[in-house]
Amino acid sequence: MMNCLVIGAGIAGLASGIALQKAGHRPVIFEAYDAPSDGIGGFLTVAVNGFDALETLGLKDDACRLGFGTPLMSMYLGSNGKHLIDFDYGGSLPDGTTARTMTRSELYGMFREEASRRGIGIVYGKRLTTVEERPDGVTAVFADGTSATGDVLIGADGLNSKVRDLTDPSSPAPRNIPLLNTGGIVPAGVLPPGTIDVEVGRMKMVFGKRCFYCYMRDPDGRVWWFANPLERSSEDPATLDAGARKAWLTQLVERDRTPMAAIVAATEDVIRPYRTSDFPGIPRWWRGRLVLVGDAAHAASPSSGQGASMAIEDAVTLGRALRGAGPEPVAEALARYEAERRNRAELVVQWGRRNAAPKIRGQFKRVFEDLALPLVFRALSRKSADNFDWLYHHHIDWETAKHRGLLTKGRTSELTKSSRTHVGRQVLPRQRPLGGHQVSRRSVENNPAAVVPCTRAKVDDPVGMCHDGLVVFDNNDRFAGLDQAVKHAKEVLDIGQVQAGSWLVKNVDVALLGHLGGQLEPLALTAGQRSERLPER
């Protein structure tokens, strides 16, 4: 059993504390502010992958009582009211659970109350200033002159993380996306009947003439909305008072063929606009006895719709990695956590940035895109829904003692046990394991063993080298992600050796046959020789 110091009592920190206790450790959570953040913040959506992770913590049923279900999304043009496309927001879990929208305060309150109920200490007014590491532990030093000592320190302190700076001072600063975030909730009965042209539980998202926005209606008749105005150097709406802020936003939406102007006018408290940021990737998530979770490690833009869900996934994965770990082998557990989470988290950051890009529309770009977007979404609608399985159908098996899908320096990768895998745009059966013969592109349909899940390494590792990047794959065997250095549609990368079934395969090349927005679907082994049978684990 380890003493775990969790820095930050937001959603990531509270979830981490609960997961660490489930793993058999003693967490204490330290918060910089002097009091809980009840009632603070706007609203968010927990996707189905977030609920899947909550079930592991025993909190899914509690979370399902918060907010309201939002399983559907629709896209429209504001200039002419044209309908573009309908989406499922991740589908549902086997028991019917769908995405739900709730206030941040509701979700935070659920975690805080549950942490207290389980006897997890939360200490307020503890702003971290530095850490002191020793071979047998770590000490957190706070601004008030006090300190706390433990076996491991978890940085759940958000976008501007102090723990991240201490873990690796070379970590990049957050990357700006030129969009602002604002929103609000209109009480039931304020708007005239028939004003809101959307069914309960469906998000209506609009590419407006001057601003992207979304509104939805809950079962009680309240209207929830958010907007993403462009960030301009010539103005700072955050400095406006409440009345001027509402007038500024109304002016941005009043020319659209939607009720958005009326929604804004009926909102008593419009959230003060704040900037959008994300991380392109940081060098490391852990060092010694320090480790990062949530936005401290991988902040995605709100356009990803995954902020809270990814923080909860981090917490569960970290807890599982540290299950049964003692103070001595903690480095191995932290490396295992990063190896499992980094690829997926960075893909979600890319996903969020791509989702934000169409919202960044000046006047001339808007006219062009209003003509092009119907064609884009028509093509998108022809893609099968399982193109999003990697995002929404992610499951963390708490009971799996060994990590699957890890390829790091000096180790091999164990392929997931899925019986099917994507090759190109088709789902083909795995008919037999990789044999001793050479494997060509023509035979990849029968030998998709090159799909290596959750793979990442640095350039000094004996795997995956390509300048300062390499190909990475996710745990679902469905999509391949790409580090920034790999930019072309057709490249062959040496990934050294992989494990196919119980055989070690050497001299493996992977051909990247297609690339769209950072995701590669077609994938093939171009060479590989069976080398030796590995011992049973």
Side-chain angles (χ1 to χ4, degrees), residues 182-183 265:
T182 184

Side-chain angles (χ1 to χ4, degrees), residues 59-275:
L59 293 174
K60 181 168 75 71
D61 290 344
D62 289 342
C64 283
R65 289 190 283 270
L66 306 178
F68 62 106
T70 46
L72 303 172
M73 294 185 287
S74 296
M75 298 281 191
Y76 287 80
L77 288 178
S79 58
N80 56 18
K82 182 177 179 61
H83 174 251
L84 296 172
I85 194 172
D86 295 323
F87 283 112
D88 286 340
Y89 199 149
S92 63
L93 297 180
D95 66 356
T97 299
T98 66
R100 295 186 71 83
T101 297
M102 61 196 70
T103 65
R104 180 201 173 277
S105 180
E106 285 181 293
L107 185 62
Y108 163 80
M110 181 201 75
F111 274 116
R112 184 174 59 80
E113 291 173 9
E114 185 63 20
S116 297
R117 189 187 70 79
R118 298 188 187 191
I120 298 171
I122 306 173
V123 187
Y124 297 96
K126 299 297 179 181
R127 185 171 298 277
L128 184 73
T129 57
T130 190
V131 296
E132 299 170 356
E133 294 182 84
R134 303 180 309 280
D136 61 343
V138 59
T139 297
V141 180
F142 302 108
D144 62 0
T146 62
S147 63
T149 298
D151 299 302
V152 63
L153 184 145
I154 297 91
D157 47 345
L159 185 68
N160 299 305
S161 169
K162 179 67 174 179
V163 179
R164 182 177 62 246
D165 292 341
L166 295 170
T167 300
D168 190 338
S170 68
S171 293
R175 180 174 56 178
N176 184 54
I177 297 174
L179 291 171
L180 299 172
N181 298 275
T182 184
I185 300 175
V186 180
V190 174
L191 289 166
T195 300
I196 304 305
D197 54 349
V198 65
E199 66 193 90
V200 171
R202 182 181 293 274
M203 298 180 173
K204 183 169 182 177
M205 298 189 175
V206 181
F207 292 93
K209 288 185 175 182
R210 301 182 63 190
C211 176
F212 179 89
Y213 50 88
C214 170
Y215 54 90
M216 66 203 87
R217 184 161 54 96
D218 72 15
D220 296 326
R222 295 178 297 175
V223 178
W224 303 49
W225 64 271
F226 69 82
N228 297 132
L230 279 177
E231 182 181 18
R232 303 181 186 275
S233 59
S234 60
E235 61 184 7
D236 183 7
T239 63
L240 301 175
D241 62 29
R245 190 159 64 238
K246 186 182 293 189
W248 162 76
L249 191 57
T250 300
Q251 187 179 27
L252 294 180
V253 301
E254 63 186 0
R255 295 169 57 194
D256 292 333
R257 296 186 180 182
T258 72
M260 189 62 188
I263 293 171
V264 173
T267 305
E268 183 175 347
D269 184 17
V270 175
I271 295 171
R272 188 178 299 276
Y274 60 93
R275 300 178 68 184

Side-chain angles (χ1 to χ4, degrees), residues 407-412 455-466 470 493-498 507-508:
L407 181 61
T408 56
K409 187 173 182 177
R411 300 185 64 178
T412 59
T455 304
R456 198 178 198 281
K458 295 182 180 179
V459 294
D460 58 349
D461 287 356
V463 294
M465 290 188 290
C466 177
L470 71 157
L493 307 181
D494 176 18
I495 64 166
Q497 57 189 26
V498 300
N507 304 320
V508 178

Side-chain angles (χ1 to χ4, degrees), residues 279 282 285 293-300 307 310-311 314 337 341 345-346 349:
F279 277 125
I282 61 175
W285 288 21
V293 296
D295 283 355
H298 53 76
M310 293 299 287
D314 280 359
Y337 156 74
R341 288 299 296 164
E346 291 184 353
V349 172

Side-chain angles (χ1 to χ4, degrees), residues 301-322:
S301 83
S303 297
S304 70
Q306 284 284 324
S309 298
M310 293 299 287
I312 299 164
E313 284 187 9
D314 280 359
V316 173
T317 306
L318 179 62
R320 187 184 71 170
L322 289 171

Side-chain angles (χ1 to χ4, degrees), residues 364-385:
F364 293 107
K365 184 182 178 185
R366 194 273 302 171
V367 173
F368 171 77
E369 286 190 348
D370 277 5
L371 296 174
L373 280 173
L375 299 176
V376 172
F377 282 107
R378 193 176 303 137
L380 188 61
S381 68
R382 290 194 291 266
K383 287 191 172 185
S384 70

